[in-house]
Amino acid sequence: MTEQDTRELTGMYEAQDHLERLRAALIAAGIKLPSLRLDLPSCSGEAQTPLLDLGRVNLDTARALTALAERAARPAPADGNSS
């Protein structure tokens, strides 16, 4: 196995790990992306830049993702309460 092969596999494994973590986090938030997958062509070659393909979503899923992102972007209250 060449050094490049090792780098490609490492990048693929890391990308796959993050994909599974993202899938689990989204499911925990009530969001399912049925087309979520690793973009294999982006994981090979010298300019290896692993990409996660989030796929296409319907409007209900887009609304859920928007609400989740908006909640995450809100600043925490100064007193530390999350309500």
Side-chain angles (χ1 to χ4, degrees):
M1 181 178 286
T2 67
E3 186 177 326
Q4 181 175 341
D5 291 338
T6 302
R7 279 194 313 270
E8 288 176 12
L9 281 175
T10 300
M12 277 182 49
Y13 290 139
E14 183 178 0
Q16 185 66 36
D17 178 58
H18 283 285
L19 179 133
E20 296 304 329
R21 290 174 56 198
L22 175 60
R23 178 178 283 126
L26 289 170
I27 288 172
I31 300 169
K32 182 177 180 186
L33 297 181
S35 301
L36 181 63
R37 67 181 178 87
L38 184 59
D39 179 62
L40 293 177
S42 69
C43 296
S44 62
E46 286 192 33
Q48 180 193 101
T49 308
L51 299 173
L52 302 182
D53 186 348
L54 303 180
R56 296 166 41 168
V57 299
N58 62 31
L59 186 54
D60 287 340
T61 302
R63 287 182 185 123
L65 285 168
T66 300
L68 182 64
E70 288 172 346
R71 280 193 307 271
R74 282 191 204 122
D79 64 2
N81 290 332
S82 59
S83 53

